[in-house]
């Protein structure tokens, strides 16, 4: 039986708008409702493959029901302008999809749906009604089901004749009308019978079936309920009339004109590009245009020895695979798979046999391998003695073209990798970022895999000593806290801490109605001994939980080498991040953090560590990219930029600047990079907002080209929807044209900072590639990157060679109109390198 999908347009749009976070495209236009609408519609289309699709919309709030009851829907709040603006675009999208829409003055969408479903029933077609409105349950019949949006717009709940009773305690679809007549509907301002709720109404219907039968037997209903029903009889019948969906509206309808043409063509793909819907752009199953899938049915074949031999003979130029689910493909039409539980299912082949057979393919420089997880693949294949060469990473390509937007893990079937590969190649060429992928990100994959494999050695003896030290200190602080409190309690429970401080001890803090125990609030009253002990306890406990315990757990597994994971496709700026564990977040500003750095040592007997850290790279880039002569001259003359800035904003000679003034100027310098506000700066330097504003104004008075550079970046991003680094990396900034002040302000700060931070990330990545290649003849290894710093594990007697490589390769990555300097430190542990 053919299927017809009828969509309640207003319901789905409203559901999407309120269920999803505020989204905008690169032009700053609101897009959350549009994105949610597209997602749920396409999900149902792909799952159910309907032959016909129809979308019904309300034309206006005033309908014939307002003539029956003037206050019908009268309590509804005005539709937000951000949602109003999306209805025309939703209809435009449906038009581009060639999906029929129906909207008539004086007729609600429910009545359009009721009339169409009645017409469709007459031609014996399975009808699916998609909505979030339970009123439509009354339309259910043997061929019609209602799919209610359940969780936001990501899940639906199918309701048909078989499960209506179990789900809603209704024996027939028509009883939804009777139910609304009794209990009313607050969302539509249908009054119902005053004092009768859903539970009572269902009980009445279970006994009497209909409103008519209830009033025919009103004398058998006793007490207060009888009084309510009698008083509300008029409202009950009016409510019943309001709740009844019309199925005989007068409008032209031709089902054959509502046929769905799916997959879609090029126009739909271009529409989604306009609105930056990256997950829909990547869904190759939706299109028959730019990323068209083969029209042939995809054959899924389990690998056997005979099939494996055929594959090996067929591979010539391209090979797609996914080692996570052991799927392989030579083209778009066939998907070969191997059960990972081969022993259980009696497969002819093991994972090792298959990978060994594919070894010549994986290692070939002439055959392109398409994957979504290249770095993970490198680690896995290495366990079988296989190298991965000449590969294309779909996730990485997506990252390069989608930075700044939400993008999901590539989940398509492996045979679809071919079309995705072509799609991303065209996208990168279109946005002129193919060199970012080919020259920076792709070469870095193997380097990061090597760094992860090398790992960083821990001084296990020192780690054990710190563990004992922190355990002892936590015990000491606990006793002091209990003494001050006069009782024992759970120090790690904010609720119990608040009770002790505010209820038992009666401590007062400024503007703290919620009795917060946050660090900021406790810092206000740190002069009180118990509070000082609590803050010290928290700091030690955090270090022990975050670092010591994690490192101890690794070492207790029999290896005192930490293998972190570098996340290459995560940040919007191009920066690398580290996880499991994070080795980029080791604190450096306090004694405890410095002690942690002493744990990291060379794995070579007699070896050492070398740290090479770019000196004020973002400030140097600010000077170069803004063209501010005062800053450029200062760097060319080798002067201290923070002292110079302090001299300018405090109006004093450089020789008279105090350390405190230099510290404040440093906060100004680095704050400017991130578009800091006077409030943000005042918090950083512990001053008034007026004083912070004066510092910022003085800075821009002295360096007007910096201000111009920042403003120009904001203007570019507002106009284009994105900003670029010096190397051409793009970050899209949909937030910058948001109607919401906070969202727009965030976008403006991103526009100010991205050219600097993004360029710095490009520079350190290029430096990693160059340094790694120069280190190949040596035994020393690049093992860690921490923002603008590279760490080398140095083999004995290779120190001078490594220092020379680091300085030469890092300082010549890019030519600026001022020196790009690197600070190099050597030590037996990471702490000594600073």
């Amino acid at each position: 039986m053919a299927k017809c999908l009828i969509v309640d347009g207003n319901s789905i749009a409203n559901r999407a708008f309120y269920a999803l976070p505020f989204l905008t495209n690169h032009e700053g236009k609101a897009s959350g409702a549009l994105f949610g609408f597209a997602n749920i519609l396409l999900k149902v289309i792909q799952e159910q493959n309907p032959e016909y699709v129809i979308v019904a919309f309300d034309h206006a709030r005033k309908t014939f029901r307002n003539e029956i009851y003037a206050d019908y829907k009268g309590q509804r709040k005005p539709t937000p302008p951000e949602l109003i603006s999306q209805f025309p675009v939703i209809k435009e999208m449906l038009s581009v999809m060639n999906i029929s829409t129906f909207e008539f003055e004086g007729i609600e969408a429910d009545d359009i749906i009721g009339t169409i479903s009645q017409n469709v029933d007459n031609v014996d077609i399975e009808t699916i009604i998609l909505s979030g409105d339970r009123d439509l349950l009354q339309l259910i019949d043997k061929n019609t089901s209602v799919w209610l949006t359940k969780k936001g717009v990501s899940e639906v709940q199918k309701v048909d004749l078989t499960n209506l009773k179990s789900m809603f305690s209704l024996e027939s679809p028509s009883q939804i009308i009777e139910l609304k007549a009794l209990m009313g509907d607050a969302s539509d301002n249908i009054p119902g019978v005053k004092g009768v709720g859903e539970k009572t109404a269902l009980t009445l219907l279970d006994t009497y079936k209909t409103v008519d039968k209830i009033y025919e037997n009103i004398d058998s209903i006793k007490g207060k309920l009888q009084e309510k029903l009698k008083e509300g009889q008029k409202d009950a019948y009016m409510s019943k009339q309001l709740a009844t969906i019309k199925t005989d509206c007068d409008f032209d309808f031709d089902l054959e004109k509502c046929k769905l043409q799916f997959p879609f063509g090029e126009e739909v793909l271009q529409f989604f590009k306009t609105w930056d819907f990256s997950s829909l752009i990547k869904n190759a199953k939706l299109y028959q245009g730019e990323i068209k899938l083969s029209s042939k049915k995809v054959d899924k074949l389990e690998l056997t020895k005979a099939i494996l031999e055929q594959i090996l003979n067929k591979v010539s130029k391209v090979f797609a695979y996914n080692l996570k689910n052991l799927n392989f493909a030579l083209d778009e039409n066939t998907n070969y798979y191997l059960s990972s539980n081969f022993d259980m299912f009696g497969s002819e082949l093991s994972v090792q046999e298959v990978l060994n057979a594919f070894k010549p393919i994986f290692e070939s420089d002439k055959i392109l391998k398409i994957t979504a997880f290249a770095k993970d693949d490198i680690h896995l294949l290495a366990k079988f003695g296989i190298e991965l060469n000449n590969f294309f990473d779909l996730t990485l390509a997506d990252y390069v073209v989608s930075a700044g937007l939400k993008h999901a893990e590539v989940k398509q079937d492996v045979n679809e990798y071919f079309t995705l590969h072509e799609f991303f190649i065209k996208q990168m060429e279109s946005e002129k970022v193919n060199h970012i992928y080919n020259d920076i990100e792709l070469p870095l994959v193997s380097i990061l895999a090597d760094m992860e494999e090398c790992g960083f050695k821990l001084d296990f003896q020192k780690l054990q000593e710190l563990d004992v030290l922190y355990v002892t200190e936590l015990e000491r602080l606990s006793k002091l806290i209990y003494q001050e409190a006069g009782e024992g309690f759970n120090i790690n429970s904010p609720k119990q801490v608040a009770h002790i401080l505010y209820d038992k001890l009666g401590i007062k803090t400024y503007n703290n109605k919620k009795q917060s125990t946050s660090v900021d609030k406790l810092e206000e009253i740190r002069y009180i001994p118990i509070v000082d002990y609590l803050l010290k306890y928290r700091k030690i406990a955090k270090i022990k939980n975050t670092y010591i315990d994690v490192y101890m757990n690794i070492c207790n597994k029999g290896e005192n080498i930490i293998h972190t994971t570098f996340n290459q496709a995560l940040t919007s700026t191009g920066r690398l991040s580290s996880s499991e564990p994070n080795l980029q977040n080791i604190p450096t500003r306090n004694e405890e953090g410095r002690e942690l750095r002493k744990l990291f040592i060379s794995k070579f007997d007699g070896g050492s560590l070398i740290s090479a850290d770019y000196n004020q790279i973002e400030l140097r880039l600010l000077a170069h990219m803004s063209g501010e002569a005062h800053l450029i001259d200062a760097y060319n003359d080798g002067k201290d930029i923070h002292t110079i800035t302090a001299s300018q904003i405090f109006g004093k000679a450089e020789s008279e600047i105090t350390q405190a003034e230099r510290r404040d100027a440093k906060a100004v310098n680095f704050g400017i990079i991130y578009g800091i506000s006077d409030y943000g700066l005042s918090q950083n330097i512990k001053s008034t907002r007026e004083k912070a504003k004066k510092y910022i104004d003085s800075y821009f008075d002295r360096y007007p080209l910096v201000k111009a550079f920042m403003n120009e970046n904001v203007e570019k991003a507002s106009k284009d929807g994105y900003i670029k680094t010096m190397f051409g990396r793009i970050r899209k900034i949909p937030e910058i044209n948001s109607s919401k002040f906070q969202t727009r302000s965030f976008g403006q700060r991103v526009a100010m900072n991205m050219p600097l931070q993004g360029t710095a990330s490009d520079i350190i990545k290029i430096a990693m590639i160059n340094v790694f290649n120069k280190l190949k003849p040596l035994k020393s290894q690049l093992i860690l990157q921490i923002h603008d710093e590279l760490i080398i594990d140095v083999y004995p007697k290779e120190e001078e060679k490594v220092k020379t490589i680091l300085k030469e390769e890092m300082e010549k990555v890019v030519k600026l109109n001022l020196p790009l300097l690197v600070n190099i430190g050597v030590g037996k542990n990471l702490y000594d390198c600073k």
Side-chain angles (χ1 to χ4, degrees), residues 620-673:
R620 291 175 185 270
L621 288 172
L622 176 63
H624 171 80
M625 296 172 76
S626 68
E628 181 55 70
H630 293 98
L631 291 175
I632 293 170
D633 291 343
Y635 278 120
N636 280 324
D637 295 339
K639 292 185 177 180
D640 177 40
I641 198 69
H642 301 316
T643 300
I644 292 175
T645 298
S647 173
Q648 299 300 327
I649 63 177
F650 293 114
K652 296 168 64 173
E654 293 175 27
S655 59
E656 298 175 0
I657 294 299
T658 66
Q659 282 300 311
E661 289 169 335
R662 182 185 182 278
R663 185 175 61 249
D664 285 354
K666 183 177 180 180
V668 173
N669 278 329
F670 286 110
I672 292 297
I673 292 173

Side-chain angles (χ1 to χ4, degrees), residues 447-461:
I447 293 171
L448 294 176
D450 187 87
M451 292 167 65
E452 291 175 357
E453 183 63 29
C454 287
F456 209 148
K457 186 175 181 179
L458 287 172
D459 185 336
F460 187 45
Q461 182 177 342

Side-chain angles (χ1 to χ4, degrees), residues 362-571:
F362 286 124
E363 296 188 341
S364 172
D365 288 324
K366 296 180 180 179
I367 299 173
L368 177 67
K369 275 72 63 179
I370 306 175
T371 177
F373 318 99
K375 181 156 65 67
D376 293 343
D377 300 340
I378 290 171
H379 286 305
L380 177 60
L381 292 173
K383 294 177 181 178
F384 296 91
I386 302 171
E387 285 187 17
L388 180 63
N389 297 313
N390 189 18
F391 55 85
F392 186 94
D393 191 314
L394 297 170
T395 301
L396 211 52
D398 178 31
Y399 172 64
V400 170
V401 300
S402 303
L405 302 177
K406 293 182 178 180
H407 51 98
E409 184 180 276
V410 177
K411 294 180 179 178
Q412 274 80 2
D413 291 337
V414 70
N415 50 286
E416 296 176 26
Y417 283 13
F418 300 95
T419 50
L420 286 173
H421 167 246
E422 292 177 11
F423 172 70
F424 283 129
I425 290 289
K426 289 179 182 179
Q427 281 288 96
M428 289 191 288
E429 288 175 353
S430 171
E431 298 193 15
K432 296 183 174 63
V433 291
N434 42 344
H435 63 290
I436 298 292
Y437 176 83
N438 291 317
D439 300 334
I440 299 179
E441 299 298 349
L442 191 63
L444 203 59
V445 175
S446 301
I447 293 171
L448 294 176
D450 187 87
M451 292 167 65
E452 291 175 357
E453 183 63 29
C454 287
F456 209 148
K457 186 175 181 179
L458 287 172
D459 185 336
F460 187 45
Q461 182 177 342
K462 172 71 174 173
L463 177 62
Q464 289 176 309
E465 292 171 0
L466 277 182
D467 187 45
V468 172
L469 177 66
Y470 288 151
V471 168
T472 303
E473 179 63 5
L474 288 173
E475 289 174 351
R476 184 186 74 85
L477 289 168
S478 296
K479 290 178 181 177
L480 291 171
I481 292 168
Y482 295 152
Q483 286 174 8
E484 294 292 328
E487 64 177 276
F489 62 97
N490 184 356
I491 299 173
N492 297 310
S493 166
K495 185 176 180 180
Q496 292 188 34
V497 169
H499 170 71
I500 293 294
L501 295 182
Y502 305 124
D503 297 334
K504 182 176 181 180
L505 300 180
I507 296 173
K508 303 293 183 184
T509 61
Y510 175 72
N511 192 22
N512 191 13
K513 293 180 180 179
K514 294 183 179 180
Q515 296 190 335
S516 170
T517 60
S518 67
V519 171
D520 289 342
K521 280 300 171 188
L522 294 186
E523 283 287 355
E524 294 176 12
I525 50 173
R526 187 161 195 160
Y527 59 87
I528 300 173
I530 188 173
V531 178
D532 185 50
Y533 299 147
L534 280 167
L535 288 169
K536 288 177 179 177
Y537 179 95
R538 283 188 183 179
K539 182 171 71 172
I540 298 298
K542 182 178 180 180
I543 290 176
K544 187 174 187 310
N545 296 335
T546 306
Y547 305 103
I548 302 299
D549 290 349
V550 173
Y551 299 165
M552 284 291 291
N553 186 50
I554 292 171
C555 291
N556 287 334
K557 291 180 180 178
E559 185 182 29
N560 60 344
I561 294 182
I562 288 184
H563 299 277
T564 189
T565 296
F566 292 103
N567 306 303
Q568 191 178 356
L570 189 61
T571 70

Side-chain angles (χ1 to χ4, degrees), residues 106-278:
I107 305 177
E108 288 188 62
D110 286 5
D111 302 310
I112 296 172
I113 293 170
T115 300
I116 292 176
S117 67
Q118 186 72 32
N119 272 271
V120 172
D121 266 0
N122 294 334
V123 291
D124 199 29
I125 289 176
E126 180 184 348
T127 303
I128 297 171
I129 298 173
L130 178 65
S131 177
D133 187 354
R134 292 187 181 184
D135 288 359
L136 292 166
L137 295 177
Q138 63 188 271
L139 300 176
I140 292 173
D141 60 29
K142 62 182 178 64
N143 289 338
T144 304
S145 59
V146 174
W147 292 29
L148 295 173
T149 48
K150 184 179 177 184
K151 182 180 179 182
V153 290
S154 62
E155 294 180 16
V156 291
Q157 182 180 44
K158 180 181 178 181
V159 189
D160 56 19
L161 288 176
T162 61
N163 62 6
L164 181 67
K165 173 73 173 176
S166 62
M167 294 176 69
F168 296 99
S169 302
L170 299 174
E171 292 185 358
S172 68
S174 62
Q175 279 193 316
I176 194 71
I177 304 171
E178 314 292 334
L179 181 65
K180 293 294 178 81
L182 293 169
M183 62 175 280
D185 185 342
S187 65
D188 287 340
N189 207 28
I190 296 176
V193 176
K194 188 175 181 180
V196 174
E198 182 174 7
K199 186 175 180 180
T200 302
L202 287 171
T203 302
L204 287 168
L205 291 176
D206 186 52
T207 304
Y208 300 103
K209 311 307 178 188
T210 68
V211 170
D212 286 342
K213 291 294 183 183
I214 290 171
Y215 283 104
E216 287 174 11
N217 296 279
I218 193 69
D219 293 335
S220 65
I221 301 172
K222 305 300 181 185
K224 290 274 187 183
L225 180 56
Q226 185 192 78
E227 292 179 21
K228 291 176 183 177
L229 288 168
K230 285 183 175 179
E231 289 174 4
Q233 183 172 0
K234 183 178 179 181
D235 282 343
Y237 279 101
M238 180 185 70
S239 297
K240 182 175 180 178
Q241 191 176 3
L242 294 174
T244 302
I245 293 174
K246 287 177 65 67
T247 60
D248 58 353
C249 295
D250 185 17
F251 59 83
D252 293 332
F253 171 70
D254 184 350
L255 182 63
E256 289 307 306
K257 292 182 179 179
C258 302
K259 277 194 172 182
L260 175 67
Q261 299 170 16
F262 186 79
F264 301 121
E266 168 75 13
E267 320 83 56
V268 175
L269 176 62
Q270 292 302 324
F271 181 88
F272 289 152
K273 286 181 179 179
T274 300
W275 287 92
D276 303 324
F277 295 160
S278 58

